[in-house]
């Protein structure tokens, strides 16, 4: 599992958008978003560039 910081999430809608975007990527089995900690934990091995692009496409920033 890998955990990443995601800037810009402020509500449950934000968390859901990030979760769905990440889970749509290949090599991702599951994604868990912690809104309070502003993190996404990923079970799997996604391409980092694709992960960053998917999160940024939703309007958030992968740190």
């Amino acid at each position: 599992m890998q955990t990443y910081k995601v800037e810009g999430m402020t509500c449950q809608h934000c968390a859901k958008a990030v979760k769905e975007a990440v889970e749509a990527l290949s090599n991702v089995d599951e994604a868990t978003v912690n809104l309070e900690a502003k993190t996404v934990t990923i079970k799997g091995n996604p391409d980092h560039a694709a992960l960053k692009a998917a999160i940024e496409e939703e309007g958030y920033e992968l740190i």
Side-chain angles (χ1 to χ4, degrees), residues 5-18:
K5 185 93 170 156
V6 179
E7 288 295 324
M9 294 189 301
T10 58
C11 64
Q12 288 299 323
H13 174 74
C14 298
K16 183 179 179 194
V18 169

Side-chain angles (χ1 to χ4, degrees), residues 24-48:
L25 297 172
S26 60
N27 296 326
V28 172
D29 298 320
E30 182 181 356
T32 304
V33 176
N34 182 323
L35 182 58
E36 187 174 304
K38 296 190 184 326
T39 59
V40 61
T41 301
I42 301 167
K43 183 178 177 184
N45 190 24
D47 175 72
H48 185 74

